[in-house]
Amino acid sequence: MYTIGQVAEMFGLPASTLRYYDKQGLFPGLERTSGIRQFGDTELEALRVIECLKKAGMEIKDIRLFMEWCAEGPSTYPQRKAMFEERKAHMESEIANMNRALDMLRFKCWYYEQAIQDGSEDRLEALIPDNLPEEIKGAYENAHAR
Amino acid sequence: MYTIGQVAEMFGLPASTLRYYDKQGLFPGLERTSGIRQFGDTELEALRVIECLKKAGMEIKDIRLFMEWCAEGPSTYPQRKAMFEERKAHMESEIANMNRALDMLRFKCWYYEQAIQDGSEDRLEALIPDNLPEEIKGAYENAHAR
DNA sequence: GTAATACCTAAACCTAACTTTAGGTCAAGG
DNA sequence: CCTTGACCTAAAGTTAGGTTTAGGTATTAC
């Protein structure tokens, strides 16, 4: 069993954030002795899952729902699975989107590199979009695909 | 030249957002005739860039900085390039992070699939982490790597 | 015994990025 | 004329996810 301060240290989070998560219902079974929170293995695992789900773009209220399902037992396996499947699909499309934005950035980096060498953008503008060098053509097309 | 309503329609954004962007200085050269905003090609291209930079996680105030540099001419090519390079690095690490979270999700989906078939998590817990099937081992290890 | 820590709460505050509201101008249509 | 619709502004409101503050308790250190 750990105190809030120890857990804060372990996860590199301020204690206030852990209190906030608790208040939002993210630790449904969290116990206390004389008012003081006792974090056990269940809560540490919950925190690991919370970190993942936050990276996956999930809101606190949905994470709470998941934690409640966990506390309810095997009858909620299907809901939990469905939630993860939905998140997985959402994230895959998010990553695809970000890769497109990244291609735009790659193109812009190349573009300014050329502009710096040339001293202006004029020569460059004549190259776009039909006379781009091979090295950057893919990124350009990917970034501008609708 | 387009009115704010036309641009809003073209980009699928509310006009209030375009006014907000303008107020934040995202269209430094935007002209008006008798008070009414006139969006030209420069502004449409700016909006495309804004959409990209927002996906790249950039804040409005940094996007404004970029737009100001564009308005200043060739002397700011190096700053602009540096900004894109920094964003590119940031995004690459973001995407790597998200891929780790995605592996955790893949593992969880598999896990609940098994739990539903078994009716409980008990058999499953005995498999983790050393007796996982090959198909999911990679995702598990990737998701739990520090 | 008293001072420093670590914990607790409720409630106010914060930030970003919008959105909504309230009130006003102007041109076209009936 | 007068109403409808598209534009304008400033300012207030909204949401999420915390963070900070103010005040209180309980344990340990000197």
Side-chain angles (χ1 to χ4, degrees):
Chain A
M1 290 293 188
Y2 307 91
T3 67
I4 200 169
Q6 292 168 325
V7 178
E9 172 115 354
M10 286 162 61
F11 281 82
L13 290 171
S16 62
T17 299
L18 297 174
R19 290 199 189 95
Y20 170 72
Y21 286 172
D22 184 23
K23 203 170 188 180
Q24 298 306 306
L26 266 45
F27 308 119
L30 181 59
E31 308 225 343
R32 296 185 180 219
T33 55
S34 56
I36 297 195
R37 293 176 183 84
Q38 307 291 331
F39 290 78
D41 289 347
T42 313
E43 283 73 35
L44 299 190
E45 177 57 22
L47 258 176
R48 271 175 228 117
V49 173
I50 289 166
E51 294 203 316
C52 164
L53 296 183
K54 282 178 62 62
K55 268 186 217 154
M58 221 154 116
E59 290 175 27
I60 298 277
K61 66 177 195 300
D62 295 320
I63 300 180
R64 170 177 48 214
L65 191 52
F66 174 74
M67 294 304 170
E68 286 165 0
W69 284 338
C70 288
E72 261 185 64
S75 65
T76 60
Y77 289 159
Q79 286 96 312
R80 295 188 237 170
K81 188 187 172 217
M83 178 179 266
F84 282 128
E85 292 284 2
E86 182 271 328
R87 264 306 99 183
K88 188 156 69 80
H90 176 93
M91 260 198 113
E92 278 163 355
S93 94
E94 272 280 285
I95 290 176
N97 259 308
M98 289 178 71
N99 274 318
R100 286 223 331 218
L102 191 51
D103 266 332
M104 168 81 98
L105 291 179
R106 279 196 247 276
F107 173 72
K108 291 284 185 181
C109 285
W110 171 84
Y111 181 94
Y112 282 116
E113 178 63 33
Q114 302 301 307
I116 290 167
Q117 285 174 24
D118 292 6
S120 98
E121 297 172 52
D122 302 345
R123 181 194 67 98
L124 217 38
E125 292 296 342
L127 264 44
I128 297 168
D130 292 325
N131 299 300
L132 291 172
E134 284 306 318
E135 60 181 305
I136 206 69
K137 203 155 189 168
Y140 179 83
E141 282 161 11
N142 196 13
H144 291 73
R146 292 289 125 206
Chain B
M1 289 296 185
Y2 305 91
T3 66
I4 200 169
Q6 292 168 325
V7 178
E9 172 115 356
M10 287 162 60
F11 281 80
L13 290 172
S16 62
T17 300
L18 297 174
R19 290 198 189 96
Y20 170 73
Y21 286 170
D22 183 24
K23 202 170 189 183
Q24 297 307 306
L26 266 43
F27 307 119
L30 181 59
E31 308 224 342
R32 296 187 180 216
T33 55
S34 56
I36 297 197
R37 293 176 182 85
Q38 307 291 332
F39 290 78
D41 288 347
T42 314
E43 283 72 37
L44 299 190
E45 178 56 22
L47 257 176
R48 271 175 229 118
V49 173
I50 288 166
E51 294 203 317
C52 165
L53 297 183
K54 283 179 60 65
K55 268 187 218 155
M58 223 154 116
E59 289 174 28
I60 299 278
K61 65 179 199 298
D62 295 321
I63 300 180
R64 169 177 50 216
L65 191 52
F66 174 75
M67 295 302 169
E68 285 164 2
W69 284 338
C70 287
E72 260 186 64
S75 65
T76 60
Y77 289 159
Q79 287 96 310
R80 295 189 236 169
K81 189 188 172 219
M83 178 179 266
F84 281 127
E85 292 284 3
E86 183 271 329
R87 266 303 100 185
K88 188 155 68 81
H90 176 92
M91 264 198 110
E92 278 162 354
S93 94
E94 273 278 287
I95 290 176
N97 260 307
M98 289 177 72
N99 275 318
R100 286 223 331 217
L102 192 50
D103 266 333
M104 168 82 97
L105 290 180
R106 279 196 246 277
F107 172 72
K108 291 284 186 181
C109 285
W110 171 84
Y111 181 93
Y112 281 115
E113 179 62 33
Q114 302 300 307
I116 288 167
Q117 285 174 23
D118 291 5
S120 96
E121 297 172 51
D122 301 345
R123 182 193 68 96
L124 219 39
E125 292 297 342
L127 263 46
I128 298 167
D130 293 324
N131 300 299
L132 291 172
E134 283 306 317
E135 60 181 305
I136 205 70
K137 203 155 188 167
Y140 179 83
E141 280 161 12
N142 197 11
H144 291 75
R146 292 290 122 203

